[in-house]
Amino acid sequence: MLTKPLEQTYYIIDFDSTFTKVEALDVLGEISLTGRPDRDNLLNQIKIITDRGMSGEISFTDSLNLRLDILKAHKSQLPALIEILMGKISDSFQRNKQFLSENAATIYIVSNGFKEFIIPIVTSLGVLAENVFANTFEYDEAGAIIGFDKKNPLSANGGKSQVIRNLKLDGEVYVIGDGYTDYEIKASGLANRFYAFTENVLRPRVVEKADHVAPSLDEFLYHNNLSRSQSYPKSRIKVLLLENVHPIAIQLFEEEGFNVEIRKGALDEEELIEAIRDVSILGIRSKTMLTARVLEHANKLMTVGAFCIGTNQIDLDACTEKGIAVFNAPYSNTRSVVELAIGEIIMLIRGVVPKSNLMHKGEWDKSAKNSFEVRGKKLGLVGYGNIGTQLSVVAEALGMEVYFYDVVDKLALGNARKCKSLDELLAVADIISMHTDGRKENKNLISYREFGLMKNGIIFLNLSRGHIVDISALVDAIERGKVAGVGIDVFPQEPKTNNEEFMSALRGQPNVILTPHIGGSTEEAQANIGSFVPGKLLEYINNGSTYGSVNFPELQLPLLKGSHRLLHIHDNVPGILAKMNTIFAKYHINIHGQYLKTNEKIGYVITDVVKEYADEVVEELKDIDNTIKFRLLY
């Protein structure tokens, strides 16, 4: 019995705003109109005409005639245009050079643009010059561009359909483009599917006609199960960013081609359960509580970014058990917190706040009573981590004596002195500043007993975690005169949004500075966090690197080159690596590199292998006992 041979598949690809990020004639206008006083106005006219032609509002012929008439371009300007376009090739086309070269015989560039600049661009990625169908310019004797070859079918309306008809392609025909003229090929019955390409521009009238929307070439290849640079199109990876993370973070994810959703405020547990479905990357700050119950509904979640220092709002154990890597920004806002602490110390020890309040009431109280310098005062730091150590250095530069206590043995910087116990530090300090982490054991670390150990007239600051200070004990110490000045930036209960009223027994207390959790909220710090955290998340998603993770074994991996990378996360039990290598040996797979690291709960094995291997390999790796998560990168 004879079987019918598989049909050949042909790929028809547009050029402007598809193969490249820009419309070439728009760029040519930027070159040819240089020096014209009305340049910006003319460029805007060209863009409007381009968009109207591409969306089908006016005929292509009219669009082309109008643009060339405005351009007044010259043949000598084409090399500059080609050089610019070389740098404007669409990212997903650059990533998938291999697909373009391997399928060059069945890829056709069909464009209403011009061969003079299209051929040099597309052939650089492996497309055959003879498979480029486009217009050609006409020049006068001086080389000025005066028109186009009117005999070319692509110079007239319906030209793309005519070209495909003339090619007489025997097989499946898929069209990829951003314009209405690309859709017309399908409408003419000459193509099986039309993919609206939206990586560079989205035209609603075109999208509504599409069989499928392709945010990138990766998506098109994935949809058709074709060889591609990415194991999973980034447009299918959903990013959820909460609590007003810095715009630079949004930009970084969008530039990578991810599908980004933004919510301004924090979400409660029920809201987050609903929002986190199908989310692969979650970005939060300090108010969103990522609980084990929420994580039960996070079926696709791969990684979490805390756009802040602390991670006590995240159930790290539950994340680890589900193979979700968590990253934070331990250093990015350190300087901002230190500066706020120094500023508040000076304001409080000088009694500036009550004097300022009296001035607003019209009262003039010029006196030095209860107003002191910081020089020579003893600053006690509870916690000597990133912020504590930097505050130590700055305070010493102001002439303060620095004492610190930390449960972890830390090396003193400068002339700072380590106290043997918290009680010792509380008794010696004139000013106490809290810089501990948010672990549960630190709840009410400072309460009635601890305030009793302090000197009378102590200046007290908490810019770390709200639950480490017993607020009722602090209020009692203020009212008894034990504490002379207070600066609090964090609270046991905080409003979720700016519209919610802040409630606290500290309101209205004298010489108390209350700030709404803004210790790290400077433009510089938020920009640093906004770039640092996405950088870590993208390294993990794109490369598998976990350096800087707070719950995963830390591995800094080399860039992936010429291999497929298999990422295997598993319970930390003996024998997993041996089982994996048995599978590789069984299928005679050559390993280019292998990396393993474990912590007390999980193991993380990364294996770079040759690109050619049986599909069964992946399935057998996934089926190894104690496997938590498996991921493939290429």
Side-chain angles (χ1 to χ4, degrees):
M1 180 179 177
L2 295 175
T3 58
K4 184 180 179 181
L6 293 174
E7 284 190 327
Q8 182 66 62
T9 301
Y10 297 92
Y11 308 101
I12 312 301
I13 304 176
D14 183 35
F15 182 76
D16 291 289
S17 293
T18 298
F19 208 101
T20 58
K21 301 176 184 180
V22 292
E23 294 285 327
L25 291 187
D26 292 358
V27 178
L28 183 58
E30 294 174 5
I31 298 170
S32 67
L33 297 172
T34 299
R36 290 275 300 264
D38 55 349
R39 178 175 181 268
D40 290 346
N41 179 52
L42 293 174
L43 289 174
N44 188 53
Q45 288 184 41
I46 292 171
K47 185 178 185 309
I48 291 171
I49 293 167
T50 298
D51 289 340
R52 292 183 67 198
M54 294 303 292
S55 63
E57 290 182 37
I58 60 175
S59 72
F60 167 73
T61 305
D62 289 343
S63 167
L64 191 53
N65 278 318
L66 289 168
R67 285 180 286 168
L68 289 179
D69 187 55
I70 295 172
L71 282 172
K72 308 296 183 191
H74 193 275
K75 188 175 185 178
S76 63
Q77 294 164 337
L78 294 179
L81 171 63
I82 292 168
E83 183 178 352
I84 292 172
L85 292 179
M86 282 291 188
K88 299 289 185 180
I89 296 173
S90 296
D91 294 338
S92 64
F93 278 78
Q94 289 274 27
R95 286 195 297 270
N96 290 285
K97 291 179 185 178
Q98 185 175 343
F99 166 78
L100 297 171
S101 59
E102 288 179 353
N103 295 275
T106 57
I107 291 176
Y108 293 85
I109 305 299
V110 181
S111 170
N112 295 122
F114 292 83
K115 286 186 177 182
E116 286 89 339
F117 54 77
I118 293 177
I119 288 177
I121 306 301
V122 301
T123 54
S124 72
L125 266 63
V127 175
L128 301 177
E130 59 265 33
N131 284 5
V132 175
F133 294 85
N135 283 299
T136 53
F137 287 121
E138 289 184 345
Y139 311 92
D140 64 15
E141 293 180 358
I145 296 173
I146 56 174
F148 48 90
D149 179 10
K150 308 260 186 327
K151 296 177 182 178
N152 189 325
L154 288 165
S155 68
N157 300 329
K160 288 189 177 183
S161 297
Q162 186 58 50
V163 167
I164 303 303
R165 191 175 288 110
N166 294 342
L167 284 171
K168 298 180 180 179
L169 302 176
D170 185 18
E172 294 275 308
V173 176
Y174 299 157
V175 179
I176 309 167
D178 66 286
Y180 197 82
T181 55
D182 303 305
Y183 159 69
E184 287 179 339
I185 300 172
K186 167 73 187 301
S188 300
L190 298 166
N192 300 86
R193 296 181 201 160
F194 166 57
Y195 290 80
F197 189 79
T198 60
E199 182 173 330
N200 304 310
V201 64
L202 190 153
R203 295 184 169 97
R205 188 161 180 247
V206 177
V207 168
E208 69 182 16
K209 298 290 187 180
D211 297 297
H212 192 82
V213 177
S216 65
L217 184 58
D218 305 289
E219 172 67 26
F220 169 79
L221 300 177
Y222 180 83
H223 188 259
N224 290 287
N225 198 29
L226 296 166
S227 174
R228 56 196 179 277
S229 67
Q230 297 177 346
S231 52
Y232 196 71
K234 291 183 179 178
S235 58
R236 287 177 173 251
I237 295 178
K238 183 176 179 180
V239 181
L240 176 61
L241 301 176
L242 306 178
E243 302 184 67
N244 287 321
V245 301
H246 196 277
I248 194 171
I250 301 166
Q251 178 186 337
L252 289 170
F253 285 121
E254 289 181 338
E255 285 176 354
E256 283 282 323
F258 294 129
N259 176 12
V260 182
E261 180 183 349
I262 306 154
R263 303 278 187 99
K264 288 186 176 181
L267 300 181
D268 62 28
E269 191 173 61
E270 292 300 328
E271 291 171 327
L272 190 54
I273 284 172
E274 186 60 35
I276 207 169
R277 300 179 197 277
D278 298 325
V279 168
S280 299
I281 303 172
L282 176 66
I284 62 175
R285 294 175 73 181
S286 58
K287 294 177 184 175
T288 298
M289 306 304 294
L290 188 58
T291 64
R293 181 166 174 259
V294 171
L295 291 169
E296 288 174 5
H297 300 268
N299 301 324
K300 294 186 177 180
L301 192 61
M302 291 188 283
T303 185
V304 177
F307 286 72
C308 51
I309 295 176
T311 55
N312 58 295
Q313 74 277 35
I314 301 169
D315 190 327
L316 295 178
D317 289 338
C319 284
T320 305
E321 289 169 5
K322 290 182 69 68
I324 299 165
V326 179
F327 299 86
N328 66 337
Y331 313 109
S332 300
N333 65 1
T334 300
R335 180 69 186 192
S336 297
V337 178
V338 168
E339 289 188 3
L340 181 62
I342 289 293
E344 290 194 353
I345 287 170
I346 293 172
M347 295 276 283
L348 292 167
I349 205 165
R350 290 289 298 272
V352 171
V353 175
K355 283 184 169 59
S356 175
N357 291 339
L358 289 173
M359 289 285 286
H360 281 285
K361 295 178 181 179
E363 299 181 34
W364 184 268
D365 178 20
K366 179 175 169 56
S367 76
K369 185 178 180 181
N370 294 325
S371 182
F372 306 94
E373 293 181 352
V374 296
R375 182 175 53 177
K377 300 300 182 294
K378 296 179 176 66
L379 172 63
L381 301 172
V382 183
Y384 204 60
N386 300 321
I387 294 172
T389 51
Q390 191 170 141
L391 179 55
S392 172
V393 172
V394 176
E396 194 170 311
L398 292 172
M400 301 178 76
E401 294 180 26
V402 178
Y403 297 79
F404 71 91
Y405 171 73
D406 199 302
V407 293
V408 178
D409 190 25
K410 298 289 183 68
L411 179 66
L413 299 183
N415 295 314
R417 305 170 198 178
K418 181 179 180 180
C419 294
K420 295 179 180 178
S421 66
L422 177 59
D423 287 0
E424 180 186 343
L425 180 133
L426 297 179
V428 74
D430 301 309
I431 303 160
I432 293 173
S433 189
M434 305 297 297
H435 299 288
T436 69
D437 60 34
R439 70 186 70 180
K440 294 177 182 178
E441 305 90 90
N442 284 337
K443 183 176 181 180
N444 291 341
L445 179 66
I446 304 297
S447 190
Y448 291 94
R449 175 186 173 276
E450 287 70 31
F451 282 115
L453 296 174
M454 298 177 193
K455 291 180 180 180
N456 290 329
I458 191 81
I459 301 296
F460 182 81
L461 279 75
N462 182 20
L463 281 70
S464 57
R465 299 291 184 273
H467 69 274
I468 67 174
V469 177
D470 184 339
I471 296 298
S472 60
L474 175 57
V475 171
D476 174 71
I478 295 169
E479 292 176 346
R480 290 189 293 106
K482 183 74 174 184
V483 176
V486 175
I488 304 291
D489 185 54
V490 289
F491 306 88
Q493 288 84 36
E494 297 179 357
K496 289 183 179 179
T497 69
N498 291 341
N499 297 323
E500 186 178 332
E501 184 180 359
F502 166 66
M503 304 296 293
S504 175
L506 290 168
R507 286 172 51 176
Q509 294 291 342
N511 204 23
V512 173
I513 299 175
L514 302 178
T515 49
H517 206 144
I518 57 165
S521 296
T522 61
E523 289 291 341
E524 294 89 346
Q526 292 307 304
N528 288 338
I529 294 171
S531 59
F532 180 85
V533 176
K536 291 298 179 184
L537 298 175
L538 291 172
E539 277 187 1
Y540 178 65
I541 292 294
N542 294 336
N543 198 40
S545 291
T546 54
Y547 188 75
S549 173
V550 297
N551 69 324
F552 261 45
E554 291 189 84
L555 277 172
Q556 184 71 59
L557 300 171
L559 293 176
L560 181 61
K561 292 182 180 179
S563 305
H564 282 187
R565 178 163 288 173
L566 313 177
L567 312 176
H568 192 276
I569 304 165
H570 54 269
D571 295 323
N572 187 10
V573 297
I576 299 292
L577 183 61
K579 291 178 181 178
M580 292 180 66
N581 288 336
T582 298
I583 294 170
F584 295 138
K586 173 184 174 182
Y587 289 94
H588 307 289
I589 294 173
N590 188 27
I591 296 176
H592 291 170
Q594 193 167 56
Y595 315 87
L596 164 66
K597 201 161 187 182
T598 63
N599 61 23
E600 65 277 8
K601 292 189 176 181
I602 62 170
Y604 187 37
V605 176
I606 296 90
T607 309
D608 292 347
V609 301
V610 293
K611 293 182 178 181
E612 293 77 27
Y613 51 85
D615 292 339
E616 290 81 4
V617 172
V618 169
E619 296 308 314
E620 289 193 28
L621 290 170
K622 289 180 180 179
D623 288 340
I624 292 174
D625 289 342
N626 299 106
T627 297
I628 297 173
K629 238 181 188 121
F630 177 86
R631 198 154 62 95
L632 172 64
L633 296 177
Y634 54 80

